[in-house]
């Protein structure tokens, strides 16, 4: 499928390509026109609604316009089921197909090995801060944490309730602006797992490579909430990958856990039933009523990412968007500043400040008038933050950069 999307600036950028064309196979929204150009090809142009803004929120975050329109077209009646996804039984054949397809597409995107289970859970990544030590540790076990931001810090503090936590490196004293060289780390020989937060949403620090655990019987565990499905990842290097969906792959309410199967079934006796991975694995994520509509939307996003050519192509787009924004910050002669060490700057979350901090409120206010919203930095750090996840179009970043240059010209 060849496809383009009309941006708010009037430009067009590629949206979908074959072979994953089922996202638009039926019930095309009225804003989408389709004309066959050759056998097995479809040319689609999506006109952005002028009432929509460029949403730079850290989460819940912007979703692909095409996905929203597809969901809209199926909201009232899903295919031939006679009902909405929000109404159907989670054990019925229709939803069984939805969740199985979502899992299969995610496995294809990340090349998930067969000896890993994919679980669709609830409670956010924060719930996994407890679930992980409860499932793969005893209270006597030691575990290592690398703390590169607020979320890694919270994960370590929660795990302390269930096992012996060693924070082997923390960037707190340097305001979480870097990641250590792996040679600097002094791991504990018997550590059951080594935990990292792959991308710190608040501070904009991202691992570009991943450490290995020195204990041959241990595993690496990664919170990938804010860069999940933004680039290729070798899943086999990890024992557990977990992520809240509301950054890159769906609405809030869905938590995805990818876990090596041999780690399942070892939960501490005190583990609540809803935190026991074996319960969810044995029941194919259907032990209780899951967030059905959220999983359905994640499935549409996975289909969208596959249609773009997979995560390799998605990463190229993310690198380009981030490069444009960082270049604007670095080229502003100090008017804008990003505190993060260049080698570990996030492709997803770009924090920056103004040299004249008293202008920050005005910057955010003026940007909102130009339909660029949620640029205020996290309350714990202040400044600004532009979250430019997969679904943020290039046009959104280009418009922000143009605004930044204009604002500097007027206030510099």
């Amino acid at each position: 499928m060849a496809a383009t999307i009309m941006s708010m600036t009037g430009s067009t950028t590629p949206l979908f390509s074959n072979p994953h064309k089922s996202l638009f196979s039926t019930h095309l929204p009225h804003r989408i026109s389709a004309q066959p150009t050759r056998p097995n090809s479809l040319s689609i142009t999506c006109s952005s609604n002028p009432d929509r803004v460029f949403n730079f929120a850290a989460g819940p975050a912007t979703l692909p316009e095409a996905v929203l329109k597809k969901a809209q077209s199926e909201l009232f009646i899903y295919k031939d089921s006679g009902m909405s996804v929000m109404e159907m039984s989670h054990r019925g054949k229709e939803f069984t197909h939805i969740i199985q397809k979502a899992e299969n597409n995610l496995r294809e995107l990340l090349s998930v090995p067969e000896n890993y289970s994919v679980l669709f859970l609830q409670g956010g990544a924060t719930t996994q801060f407890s679930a992980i030590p409860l499932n793969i540790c005893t209270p006597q076990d030691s575990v290592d944490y690398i703390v590169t931001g607020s979320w890694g810090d919270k994960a370590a503090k929660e795990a302390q309730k269930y096992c012996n936590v060693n924070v082997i490196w923390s960037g707190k004293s340097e305001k979480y602006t870097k990641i250590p060289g792996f040679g600097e780390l002094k791991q504990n020989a018997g550590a059951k797992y080594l935990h990292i937060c792959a991308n710190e949403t608040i501070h904009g620090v991202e691992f570009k490579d991943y450490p290995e655990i020195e204990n041959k019987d241990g595993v690496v565990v990664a919170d990938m909430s804010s860069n999940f499905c933004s680039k290729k990842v070798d899943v086999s290097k990890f024992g557990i990958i977990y992520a809240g969906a509301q950054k890159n792959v769906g609405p809030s309410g869905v938590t995805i856990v990818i876990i090596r199967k041999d780690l399942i079934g070892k939960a501490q006796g005190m583990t609540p039933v809803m935190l026991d991975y074996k319960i969810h694995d044995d029941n194919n994520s259907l032990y209780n009523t899951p967030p059905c509509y959220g999983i359905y939307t994640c499935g549409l996003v996975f289909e969208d990412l596959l249609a773009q050519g997979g995560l390799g192509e998605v990463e190229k787009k993310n690198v380009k968007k981030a490069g444009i924004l960082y270049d604007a910050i670095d080229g502003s002669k100090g008017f804008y500043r990003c505190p993060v060490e260049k080698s570990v700057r996030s492709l997803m979350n770009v924090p920056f400040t103004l040299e004249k901090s008293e202008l920050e409120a005005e910057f955010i206010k003026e940007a909102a008038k130009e339909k660029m919203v949620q640029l205020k930095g996290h309350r714990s750090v202040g400044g600004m933050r532009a979250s430019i996840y997969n679904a943020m179009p290039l046009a959104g970043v280009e418009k922000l950069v143009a605004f930044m240059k204009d604002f500097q010209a007027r206030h510099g």
Side-chain angles (χ1 to χ4, degrees), residues 48-87:
S48 294
N49 188 318
D51 294 327
R52 278 183 63 81
V53 298
F54 285 123
N55 177 13
F56 291 93
T62 189
L63 285 164
E65 182 178 317
V67 166
L68 292 173
K69 288 183 175 180
K70 177 64 175 176
Q72 179 187 43
S73 74
E74 295 182 332
L75 178 63
F76 184 52
I77 299 178
Y78 175 75
K79 299 189 183 300
D80 59 354
S81 69
M83 69 185 89
S84 171
V85 173
M86 289 184 282
E87 301 171 294

Coordinates of all heavy atoms in Angstrom, one line a residue, residues 48-87:
S48 N -5.5 16.1 7.6 CA -5.6 16.4 9.0 C -6.7 17.3 9.3 O -6.9 18.3 8.6 CB -4.2 16.9 9.5 OG -3.2 16.0 9.4
N49 N -7.4 17.0 10.4 CA -8.4 17.9 10.8 C -7.8 19.2 11.4 O -6.9 19.1 12.2 CB -9.2 17.2 11.9 CG -10.5 17.9 12.4 OD1 -10.4 19.2 12.5 ND2 -11.5 17.2 12.6
P50 N -8.2 20.3 10.9 CA -7.6 21.6 11.3 C -7.8 21.9 12.8 O -7.2 22.7 13.4 CB -8.3 22.7 10.5 CG -9.6 22.0 10.0 CD -9.3 20.6 9.9
D51 N -8.8 21.2 13.5 CA -9.0 21.4 14.9 C -8.0 20.6 15.7 O -8.0 20.8 17.0 CB -10.4 21.0 15.2 CG -11.5 21.9 14.6 OD1 -11.2 23.1 14.4 OD2 -12.6 21.4 14.3
R52 N -7.3 19.7 15.2 CA -6.3 18.9 15.9 C -5.0 19.7 16.2 O -4.6 20.4 15.3 CB -6.0 17.5 15.3 CG -7.1 16.5 15.5 CD -6.7 15.1 14.9 NE -5.5 14.5 15.5 CZ -5.5 13.9 16.6 NH1 -6.6 13.7 17.4 NH2 -4.4 13.3 17.0
V53 N -4.4 19.4 17.3 CA -3.2 20.1 17.7 C -2.0 19.2 17.5 O -2.2 17.9 17.4 CB -3.2 20.6 19.1 CG1 -4.4 21.6 19.3 CG2 -3.4 19.4 20.1
F54 N -0.8 19.7 17.6 CA 0.4 18.9 17.7 C 0.6 18.7 19.2 O 0.9 19.6 19.9 CB 1.6 19.5 17.1 CG 1.6 19.5 15.6 CD1 1.7 20.6 14.8 CD2 1.5 18.2 14.9 CE1 1.7 20.6 13.4 CE2 1.5 18.2 13.5 CZ 1.6 19.3 12.8
N55 N 0.4 17.4 19.7 CA 0.4 17.1 21.1 C 1.8 16.5 21.5 O 2.1 15.4 21.1 CB -0.7 16.1 21.4 CG -0.8 15.6 22.8 OD1 -0.1 16.2 23.7 ND2 -1.5 14.6 23.1
F56 N 2.5 17.3 22.2 CA 3.9 16.9 22.6 C 3.9 16.3 24.1 O 4.9 16.3 24.7 CB 4.8 18.1 22.6 CG 5.1 18.6 21.2 CD1 4.4 19.6 20.6 CD2 6.1 18.0 20.5 CE1 4.6 20.1 19.3 CE2 6.4 18.5 19.2 CZ 5.7 19.5 18.6
A57 N 2.7 15.8 24.5 CA 2.6 15.3 25.9 C 3.5 14.0 26.0 O 3.6 13.2 25.1 CB 1.1 14.9 26.2
A58 N 3.9 13.8 27.2 CA 4.8 12.6 27.5 C 3.9 11.4 27.7 O 4.4 10.3 27.7 CB 5.6 12.9 28.8
G59 N 2.6 11.5 27.9 CA 1.7 10.4 28.0 C 0.6 10.6 29.0 O 0.9 11.2 30.1
P60 N -0.6 10.3 28.7 CA -1.0 9.7 27.4 C -0.6 10.7 26.2 O -0.6 11.9 26.4 CB -2.5 9.6 27.4 CG -2.8 9.6 28.9 CD -1.8 10.4 29.6
A61 N -0.1 10.0 25.1 CA 0.5 10.8 24.1 C -0.3 10.7 22.8 O -1.3 10.0 22.7 CB 1.9 10.3 23.9
T62 N 0.2 11.4 21.8 CA -0.4 11.4 20.5 C -0.4 10.0 19.9 O 0.5 9.2 20.0 CB 0.3 12.4 19.5 OG1 -0.4 12.6 18.3 CG2 1.7 11.9 19.2
L63 N -1.5 9.7 19.2 CA -1.7 8.4 18.5 C -1.7 8.7 17.0 O -2.1 9.8 16.5 CB -3.0 7.7 18.9 CG -2.9 7.1 20.3 CD1 -4.3 6.8 20.8 CD2 -2.1 5.8 20.2
P64 N -1.4 7.7 16.1 CA -1.4 7.9 14.7 C -2.8 8.3 14.2 O -3.8 7.7 14.6 CB -1.0 6.6 14.1 CG -0.2 5.9 15.2 CD -0.9 6.4 16.5
E65 N -2.9 9.3 13.4 CA -4.2 9.8 12.9 C -4.9 8.7 12.2 O -6.1 8.5 12.4 CB -4.0 11.0 12.0 CG -5.3 11.6 11.4 CD -5.1 12.8 10.6 OE1 -4.2 13.6 10.9 OE2 -5.7 12.9 9.5
A66 N -4.2 7.9 11.4 CA -4.9 6.8 10.7 C -5.5 5.8 11.6 O -6.5 5.2 11.3 CB -3.8 6.2 9.7
V67 N -4.8 5.5 12.7 CA -5.3 4.6 13.7 C -6.5 5.1 14.3 O -7.5 4.4 14.5 CB -4.2 4.3 14.7 CG1 -4.8 3.6 16.0 CG2 -3.1 3.4 14.2
L68 N -6.5 6.4 14.7 CA -7.7 7.0 15.3 C -8.9 6.9 14.4 O -10.0 6.6 14.8 CB -7.4 8.4 15.7 CG -6.4 8.6 16.9 CD1 -6.1 10.1 17.0 CD2 -7.0 8.0 18.2
K69 N -8.7 7.2 13.1 CA -9.8 7.1 12.1 C -10.3 5.7 11.9 O -11.5 5.5 11.8 CB -9.3 7.7 10.8 CG -9.2 9.3 10.9 CD -8.8 9.9 9.6 CE -8.8 11.4 9.7 NZ -8.4 12.0 8.4
K70 N -9.4 4.8 11.9 CA -9.8 3.4 11.8 C -10.6 3.0 13.0 O -11.7 2.3 12.9 CB -8.6 2.5 11.6 CG -8.9 1.0 11.6 CD -9.7 0.6 10.3 CE -9.9 -0.9 10.3 NZ -10.7 -1.3 9.1
A71 N -10.2 3.3 14.2 CA -10.9 3.0 15.4 C -12.3 3.7 15.4 O -13.3 3.1 15.8 CB -10.1 3.4 16.6
Q72 N -12.3 4.9 14.9 CA -13.6 5.7 14.8 C -14.5 4.9 13.9 O -15.7 4.8 14.2 CB -13.3 7.1 14.3 CG -14.6 7.9 14.1 CD -14.3 9.2 13.4 OE1 -13.5 9.3 12.5 NE2 -14.8 10.3 14.0
S73 N -14.0 4.4 12.8 CA -14.9 3.8 11.8 C -15.5 2.4 12.4 O -16.5 2.0 11.9 CB -14.2 3.5 10.5 OG -13.2 2.4 10.7
E74 N -14.8 1.8 13.3 CA -15.2 0.6 13.9 C -15.8 0.7 15.3 O -16.1 -0.3 16.0 CB -14.1 -0.4 14.0 CG -13.6 -0.8 12.6 CD -12.5 -1.9 12.6 OE1 -11.7 -1.9 13.6 OE2 -12.3 -2.6 11.7
L75 N -15.9 2.0 15.8 CA -16.3 2.2 17.2 C -17.7 1.6 17.4 O -18.0 0.9 18.4 CB -16.3 3.7 17.5 CG -16.7 4.0 18.9 CD1 -15.8 3.4 20.0 CD2 -16.7 5.5 19.1
F76 N -18.7 1.9 16.6 CA -20.1 1.6 16.8 C -20.3 0.1 16.6 O -20.9 -0.6 17.4 CB -21.0 2.4 15.9 CG -22.4 2.2 16.1 CD1 -23.0 2.3 17.3 CD2 -23.3 1.9 15.0 CE1 -24.4 2.1 17.5 CE2 -24.6 1.7 15.2 CZ -25.2 1.8 16.4
I77 N -19.8 -0.4 15.5 CA -19.9 -1.8 15.1 C -18.6 -2.3 14.6 O -18.1 -1.8 13.6 CB -21.0 -2.1 14.1 CG1 -22.4 -1.7 14.6 CG2 -21.0 -3.6 13.7 CD1 -23.5 -1.9 13.6
Y78 N -18.0 -3.3 15.3 CA -16.7 -3.9 14.9 C -16.9 -5.0 13.9 O -17.6 -6.0 14.2 CB -15.9 -4.4 16.1 CG -14.7 -5.2 15.7 CD1 -13.5 -4.4 15.3 CD2 -14.6 -6.6 15.8 CE1 -12.4 -5.1 15.0 CE2 -13.4 -7.2 15.4 CZ -12.3 -6.5 15.0 OH -11.2 -7.1 14.7
K79 N -16.5 -4.8 12.6 CA -16.6 -5.7 11.5 C -18.1 -6.2 11.5 O -19.0 -5.4 11.5 CB -15.6 -6.8 11.7 CG -14.1 -6.3 11.6 CD -13.1 -7.4 11.5 CE -11.7 -6.9 11.5 NZ -11.4 -5.9 10.4
D80 N -18.3 -7.5 11.5 CA -19.7 -8.1 11.4 C -20.2 -8.6 12.8 O -21.1 -9.4 12.8 CB -19.7 -9.2 10.4 CG -18.8 -10.3 10.7 OD1 -18.0 -10.3 11.7 OD2 -18.8 -11.3 9.9
S81 N -19.6 -8.1 13.9 CA -19.9 -8.6 15.2 C -21.3 -8.1 15.7 O -21.9 -8.6 16.6 CB -18.8 -8.2 16.2 OG -18.8 -6.9 16.5
G82 N -21.7 -6.9 15.1 CA -22.9 -6.3 15.6 C -22.8 -5.5 16.9 O -23.8 -5.1 17.4
M83 N -21.6 -5.3 17.3 CA -21.3 -4.6 18.6 C -20.0 -3.9 18.5 O -19.2 -4.2 17.6 CB -21.4 -5.5 19.8 CG -20.3 -6.5 19.9 SD -20.5 -7.7 21.2 CE -21.4 -9.0 20.3
S84 N -19.7 -3.0 19.5 CA -18.5 -2.4 19.6 C -17.5 -3.3 20.3 O -17.9 -4.2 21.1 CB -18.6 -1.1 20.4 OG -17.4 -0.5 20.8
V85 N -16.2 -3.1 20.1 CA -15.2 -3.8 20.9 C -15.4 -3.6 22.4 O -15.1 -4.5 23.2 CB -13.7 -3.4 20.5 CG1 -12.7 -4.0 21.4 CG2 -13.5 -3.7 19.0
M86 N -15.8 -2.4 22.8 CA -16.0 -2.1 24.2 C -17.2 -2.9 24.8 O -17.3 -3.0 26.0 CB -16.3 -0.6 24.4 CG -15.1 0.3 24.1 SD -15.4 2.0 24.4 CE -16.3 2.5 23.0
E87 N -18.0 -3.6 24.0 CA -19.1 -4.3 24.5 C -18.9 -5.8 24.5 O -19.7 -6.5 25.2 CB -20.4 -4.0 23.6 CG -20.8 -2.5 23.6 CD -21.8 -2.2 22.6 OE1 -21.6 -2.4 21.4 OE2 -23.0 -1.9 23.0

